[in-house]
Amino acid sequence: MNLLDEHGSSLHRMLGRITRCEHTAGDLLQDLFVKLVSTKGIEKADNPYAYAWRSAANLAFDWRRKRKIQTVTLDNAAEICDQSSSVIDKIIKNEQLEHVLDSISGLKELDRNVIYLHYVEQLTYDQIAVRLDKKASHLRSTCSKAIAKLRDIVSKINSTPIKKEGSKSA
């Protein structure tokens, strides 16, 4: 399949950025290849790369929704310590990124894809339009509305009080 030879590395990079795990990205890429070979959808698609990209993004965000929230392990803490910033700053930034990615996972498919492509991949709306086979003006509006939704979701997460263990509910 020429599509996978030509775009496999960019699909793998995208999967890695969303999952933040190299092994998972490789597994999801294999799942994507199997899905593309076993279904007829890509043969009917006007833009096979856009079809493959959307399928890969769906796999990655589905994986994020299904997995348990991971805590910082000793291995993660050691990796964080090897870098120049303070450990606590790295842990906080890592946790914030996880919250944002998990929040993006809850958005509609088009919303999350536009946010990912514009803010993570740093693509222009014209480039996103080509990739998703949509109009740039529609994607600009979609992104603006999706960011508003994302802000609401994140603000609700940040304002939710944490119940202390052993405390009684009213």
Side-chain angles (χ1 to χ4, degrees), residues 16-33:
R17 285 183 174 169
I18 294 173
T19 63
R20 303 189 66 222
C21 176
E22 186 70 27
H23 297 296
T24 300
D27 291 345
L28 290 177
L29 189 61
Q30 287 180 352
D31 291 347
L32 174 67
F33 291 168

Side-chain angles (χ1 to χ4, degrees), residues 52-63:
W53 192 93
R54 284 190 307 271
S55 297
N58 288 337
L59 285 172
F61 282 113
D62 287 347
W63 176 85

Side-chain angles (χ1 to χ4, degrees), residues 102-166:
D102 288 340
S103 297
I104 290 171
S105 297
L107 296 175
K108 290 188 271 181
E109 179 183 350
L110 181 61
D111 293 351
R112 71 175 178 242
N113 289 343
V114 172
I115 287 175
Y116 173 81
L117 288 169
H118 187 66
Y119 290 101
V120 177
E121 291 288 330
Q122 304 276 313
L123 297 180
T124 66
Y125 290 111
D126 290 331
Q127 292 169 320
I128 297 169
V130 170
R131 183 163 301 177
L132 297 181
D133 202 23
K134 304 277 185 190
K135 292 183 179 179
S137 58
H138 173 69
L139 295 174
R140 189 175 288 109
S141 171
T142 298
C143 189
S144 177
K145 291 174 186 175
I147 288 294
K149 290 177 198 172
L150 188 59
R151 283 186 181 127
D152 287 345
I153 292 169
V154 171
S155 68
K156 287 176 185 173
I157 291 171
N158 290 336
S159 67
T160 303
I162 298 173
K163 184 179 173 185
K164 294 182 182 177
E165 286 186 45

